[in-house]
Amino acid sequence: ATPSGGMAPVATDPLVSGLTQADVRRGHPLRVAAVFAAASAVVLGIVAFLTYRLGLPDWVLWGAGVLLLIGLPIMLATGLHERRRAVARTTAVAITPVETGVSRWLTWRKALLGGALAFGGLTVLAAAYTAMRLLGIGPVGTLVASGALDERDRLILAGFENRTADSTLGPSLTEALRVDLSQSPALRLVDAADIADALRRMQRPVGETLTGDLAREVAERSGVKAVVVGQIDPVGSGYVLSASLLSAAEGRVLTAVRETADGPGALLDAIDRLSGKLRERIGESLVTIRANPPLEQVTTASLAALRKYSDGNRLVDLDRPEEAIPVLEEAIGLDSGFAMAYRKLAVAIENADAGRSRSVAAVMQAYRRRDRLPEVERELATAFYHATVDADPAREAAAYRAVLNRDPDNGTALNNLALLLTAERRYAEAESLAVRAQGTGSAASFFFHGFNAQVLQGRLEDARATVERALRALPPEAPAQLDFSGLLALGNRDLAGAERSFRELRQAQRGSGDWRRRTGDALGRIAETRGRLDEAARYHRENMEVSESRGLPQDYLSSAAQLALLELRYRNRPAEALAGLQSALATHPLDAMAPEDRPYLLLAQAYAAAGKAEQARRTLREYETAVPAGLRRGDRGAGLAYGRVLEAEGNLREAADAYRDAHERMGLCGNCGLFELAGVYDRRGQPDSARILLERIVATPSIIARFASEPYALAPSYKRLGELYEARGDRKRAADSYAKFVDLWKDADPELQPGVREVRQRLGRLAQEPGS
């Protein structure tokens, strides 16, 4: 009691509960920051997933990040105020903090509700943007949604207008934009062949630069709605790049986009951003745009390397692979990680027959870097690996079909899948793909594979039309102009016409070692078909000289083996044939070249034909040991070598199996293996089986067979068929076959003329017989 009789204040115990203590801990700044960070990571992950899976615009993800950054200080302040309130509740003597106008909003309930409302607003904005884009409403509406363009409409890409001092930038940037736009599933670029046809109708040069005005005129003439025009301007040390989509009829700007680059090294990144914006405005899903990494990750970060790649690619398309090889090597020298340049280099080496080991090495470089590539180019690198190194047709086809699922107009996938299907004797499917490829570009190979598939189906008039389209699409100086003329003549067995074309081509391309080799091989085989052995031998020797000048010892040995086979087939002089072969091997021993390059199979055939069965078998065993299994699987004609060795060993049953396997695997040839198999049937006393095969040889058209098997098989097939028909009493068909043999070898070398005279005498006897 106090002196006045009052009572002293009594201290009370703190009013603390477990719930209050939890509130105090919950409001600690470190705890609030940790919980907020974890929640933010979850929210950003969900928003990112929805953005990339649903094709929402990038600003949705950025907006979510901004809202979370704004929310962090709000949550920290709310935590501090809630902590103070909880502390105030722990004692009766504590003064409850005064709630001001701002602090009364800083409660957990209101803060969480505010966050939910903010994200709800972001969701509404994203939904409205997406709806407007898909419906073609307002400035964000796509051209496809608004009806200005249709899905997969064709567009013409004009050359970049170059306002800089570097004259090479225009073509390089045009090619870079073409590469990127070609990966879009929402649009199609008009191919070079159609543009060339339009320019011819306009009486303009085929190779004329496609300016914006010229592109619009071509578009109008071709029924194309719009053209893409680009421009590059210097700004200080950097550049401004712009691209516009113009209506062909009026020149009205349908959409325009712009990007900047700080310098030459940033140009490819700017082109990639520019094309991404353009593709988005046209109407491509943001999902597919994001699926393509930036161009510098796809191809190269070096603009100079891209220029070289573009030049090399054009040379390959024009069937000038030997010239393309050093250009593509320069591209790789500028960027050693340039995966697609390695792949194209492998194609050029293979087309120029410049060394299997070099081609394999380049394929492997591209394949090792495939993870850097976007889906389309990754699958192209994978497919070419399975076509050349691993020889797995199923995986090769799967990779090319994956490309076509993503990009239905990919010319490379269409062309190479057509080649694969032709090898599998699926000629109609191959033709369909090759024709589609011709609609995407004017590469010579696109036309050849369509032409070849048509010939193999016996549709020679359609093949002629394909050749005529190729001649219109290709520039006059392209070697394929004369090459196609010669091939068409061969398809019709017009050997004289083919010879004229190849001689003219040889003269026109006399500075090219590759084309000297190709034309020498063609002319040598035509000469052999017509019985002109000395001329055929001369071309083989010239090819040996060409091989020396090109530094290709494997080709030198292959030509030497062909010379030996020529001696053995017609003159039966094994000693001379083997002496020539040993001389060539002394000049270029097998162990001095890469195992992949060694012509084991041809050497084995030559040894077998010379009666050296044991040496031929040793050669095959060395082939099996030295050459990797994947590459051996790719040697579709290996069965011919094995069959001839087995036949030399006297094993006719297994030889027949080997010839059948070779025939089945050599669909590109059509007839290869049948002559050898017919010979086995003859030796086994099965003339009817032999006759059926020989009839197929002389009746079935095939371009590859004209080079591969007919030089040594056609004349003997005619003669043997005449004998078989005569033995059956079919004088009319016998006379017809004999007459074709005589016509084929009427100008044969003198040493073959006794055989021609003998057949003439048979023809005379048949003509004198009653009923003939």
Side-chain angles (χ1 to χ4, degrees):
T2 65
S4 62
M7 300 297 292
V10 179
T12 60
D13 292 330
L15 303 175
V16 180
S17 67
L19 181 59
T20 301
Q21 289 178 337
D23 287 341
V24 172
R25 291 194 299 271
R26 189 180 297 119
H28 193 283
L30 291 179
R31 184 182 180 90
V32 171
V35 173
F36 187 84
S40 296
V42 173
V43 170
L44 285 176
I46 293 172
V47 174
F49 175 80
L50 294 175
T51 298
Y52 287 98
R53 287 301 297 270
L54 300 181
L56 300 176
D58 289 335
W59 57 258
V60 174
L61 184 57
W62 285 100
V66 169
L67 290 179
L68 290 171
L69 288 174
I70 294 173
L72 177 59
I74 293 175
M75 297 303 289
L76 289 172
T78 299
L80 289 173
H81 276 75
E82 290 286 19
R83 181 180 173 85
R84 289 177 62 191
R85 294 185 186 106
V87 169
R89 290 197 299 272
T90 63
T91 174
V93 298
I95 300 174
T96 302
V98 178
E99 299 288 351
T100 65
V102 175
S103 63
R104 73 171 181 270
W105 292 96
L106 297 176
T107 66
W108 290 127
R109 180 175 176 276
K110 292 178 179 177
L112 293 174
L113 180 60
L117 289 174
F119 275 93
L122 181 64
T123 302
V124 171
L125 285 175
Y129 176 94
T130 302
M132 292 173 67
R133 185 172 187 272
L134 295 177
L135 296 174
I137 300 172
V140 300
T142 68
L143 298 174
V144 170
S146 67
L149 292 176
D150 295 327
E151 186 76 19
R152 300 290 294 159
D153 246 347
R154 295 194 306 158
L155 303 177
I156 289 180
L157 175 62
F160 253 75
E161 183 181 351
N162 183 12
R163 298 184 177 180
T164 71
D166 187 346
S167 61
T168 65
L169 282 180
S172 298
L173 293 178
T174 303
E175 184 65 21
L177 186 59
R178 184 186 305 280
V179 169
D180 213 7
L181 292 180
S182 67
Q183 299 189 56
S184 171
L187 56 90
R188 291 181 299 155
L189 294 180
V190 174
D191 64 273
D194 286 347
I195 291 174
D197 281 343
L199 290 173
R200 286 190 184 93
R201 292 193 299 271
M202 296 163 63
Q203 296 184 335
R204 305 286 289 264
V206 172
E208 184 172 355
T209 300
L210 209 61
T211 63
D213 290 339
L214 182 57
R216 281 183 50 213
E217 184 177 351
V218 170
E220 268 199 282
R221 289 171 176 264
S222 306
V224 176
K225 291 182 181 178
V227 300
V228 179
V229 297
Q231 182 175 305
I232 178 170
D233 294 276
V235 178
S237 60
Y239 304 95
V240 173
L241 290 83
S242 60
S244 301
L245 190 68
L246 308 179
S247 67
E250 308 137 4
R252 179 168 52 90
V253 177
L254 301 175
T255 189
V257 292
R258 186 178 67 178
E259 276 294 339
T260 59
D262 294 335
L267 279 172
L268 295 183
D269 185 45
I271 274 286
D272 183 74
R273 296 194 305 271
L274 189 77
S275 67
K277 286 181 178 180
L278 186 61
R279 289 160 62 181
E280 180 183 354
R281 288 290 294 121
I282 289 171
E284 183 177 349
S285 167
L286 296 178
V287 174
T288 60
I289 294 175
R290 292 189 185 106
N292 296 321
L295 185 61
E296 65 268 23
Q297 295 179 24
V298 173
T299 307
T300 175
S302 167
L303 184 60
L306 178 63
R307 292 169 180 159
K308 291 296 182 182
Y309 175 83
S310 302
D311 291 342
N313 188 53
R314 280 190 289 273
L315 288 169
V316 171
D317 284 350
L318 291 172
D319 206 4
R320 295 162 64 182
E322 190 176 41
E323 297 173 58
I325 291 171
V327 177
L328 292 166
E329 287 175 334
E330 286 185 65
I332 292 168
L334 293 165
D335 178 6
S336 60
F338 197 166
M340 294 312 291
Y342 279 114
R343 183 194 173 281
K344 186 59 70 173
L345 175 62
V347 172
I349 292 170
E350 186 174 277
N351 290 356
D353 196 19
R356 194 183 195 184
S357 59
R358 290 177 66 194
S359 177
V360 167
V363 171
M364 291 301 300
Q365 291 288 354
Y367 187 68
R368 292 188 188 109
R369 291 166 170 79
R370 66 191 183 281
D371 292 338
R372 295 183 54 192
L373 304 174
E375 181 184 357
V376 167
E377 298 188 23
R378 181 174 64 249
E379 295 293 351
L380 289 177
T382 300
F384 205 56
Y385 169 81
H386 289 306
T388 54
V389 178
D390 187 43
D392 189 330
R395 289 187 176 183
E396 179 190 356
Y400 284 133
R401 294 193 188 280
V403 172
L404 295 175
N405 286 337
R406 176 68 179 81
D407 178 10
D409 296 321
N410 187 282
T412 299
L414 291 168
N415 179 70
N416 291 1
L417 187 55
L419 174 63
L420 174 62
L421 293 177
T422 303
E424 295 178 350
R425 299 180 181 277
R426 296 160 65 179
Y427 301 136
E429 294 175 72
E431 179 194 357
S432 174
L433 292 172
V435 170
R436 283 173 56 191
Q438 292 161 25
T440 69
S442 57
S445 60
F446 295 178
F447 294 97
F448 173 76
H449 292 139
F451 161 70
N452 191 43
Q454 289 164 336
V455 170
L456 287 165
Q457 294 174 80
R459 294 173 30 227
L460 296 179
E461 285 305 311
D462 291 335
R464 180 183 298 279
T466 297
V467 168
E468 289 172 354
R469 286 199 305 276
L471 298 182
R472 290 195 302 269
L474 294 165
E477 70 277 8
Q481 287 274 356
L482 290 168
D483 191 33
F484 275 125
S485 299
L487 293 174
L488 182 61
L490 276 182
N492 289 281
R493 283 212 179 103
D494 176 10
L495 299 181
E499 185 176 356
R500 285 193 299 272
S501 292
F502 289 127
R503 285 187 187 280
E504 189 176 348
L505 177 57
R506 186 176 180 82
Q507 177 62 23
Q509 299 295 323
R510 56 188 176 277
S512 167
D514 175 38
W515 278 104
R516 284 177 62 204
R517 172 192 63 83
R518 290 202 229 180
T519 54
D521 187 59
L523 290 167
R525 291 176 186 273
I526 290 172
E528 182 180 356
T529 307
R530 304 176 77 180
R532 302 196 314 239
L533 305 184
D534 289 341
E535 183 181 340
R538 176 168 56 81
Y539 280 117
H540 287 312
R541 292 191 186 94
E542 287 183 11
N543 271 358
M544 292 172 71
E545 296 173 5
V546 171
S547 299
E548 288 283 67
S549 67
R550 298 177 72 203
L552 298 174
Q554 64 272 18
D555 281 1
Y556 181 93
L557 287 183
S558 294
S559 295
Q562 294 287 4
L563 265 176
L565 286 169
L566 202 66
E567 288 289 320
L568 294 164
R569 285 175 186 141
Y570 303 98
R571 293 164 176 152
N572 193 25
R573 298 193 297 204
E576 290 85 345
L578 290 171
L581 205 54
Q582 291 308 116
S583 173
L585 284 166
T587 303
H588 292 293
L590 288 180
D591 56 11
M593 61 187 76
E596 300 93 332
D597 294 333
R598 300 170 189 170
Y600 285 118
L601 297 177
L602 263 179
L603 291 173
Q605 291 183 56
Y607 289 136
K612 300 292 183 180
E614 185 177 345
Q615 191 171 0
R617 177 60 64 182
R618 283 200 305 270
T619 302
L620 288 182
R621 282 198 291 267
E622 186 176 342
Y623 164 72
E624 293 165 355
T625 302
V627 179
L631 294 178
R632 283 188 278 116
R633 285 196 301 272
D635 289 330
R636 293 179 178 268
L640 291 177
Y642 279 90
R644 284 168 178 160
V645 173
L646 287 164
E647 194 173 357
E649 293 171 338
N651 192 338
L652 297 184
R653 182 181 60 82
E654 290 188 22
D657 291 339
Y659 292 143
R660 287 191 197 95
D661 177 68
H663 174 68
E664 288 303 315
R665 287 165 50 81
M666 296 178 73
L668 280 171
C669 173
N671 291 335
C672 291
L674 295 184
F675 181 73
E676 289 80 3
L677 185 56
V680 171
Y681 283 142
D682 253 344
R683 291 181 64 183
R684 290 167 59 177
Q686 298 173 278
D688 286 342
S689 297
R691 174 180 52 78
I692 291 170
L693 294 181
L694 295 173
E695 287 172 343
R696 286 175 59 185
I697 290 172
V698 301
T700 304
S702 167
I703 297 300
I704 305 300
R706 304 292 193 261
F707 291 100
S709 60
E710 287 196 6
Y712 63 83
L714 187 59
S717 295
Y718 281 138
K719 181 179 179 182
R720 183 57 181 151
L721 275 173
E723 295 168 349
L724 292 172
Y725 289 138
E726 188 175 6
R728 288 165 56 90
D730 190 342
R731 295 190 298 274
K732 182 178 184 303
R733 296 176 75 181
D736 182 62
S737 295
Y738 285 146
K740 288 178 179 176
F741 169 80
V742 169
D743 183 64
L744 188 63
W745 271 17
K746 62 180 182 293
D747 297 322
D749 286 353
E751 62 189 297
L752 297 179
Q753 286 302 326
V756 178
R757 285 194 294 273
E758 178 193 349
V759 174
R760 287 184 191 275
Q761 291 169 2
R762 292 185 183 184
L763 270 171
R765 287 197 303 269
L766 287 172
Q768 294 171 3
E769 291 179 4
S772 61

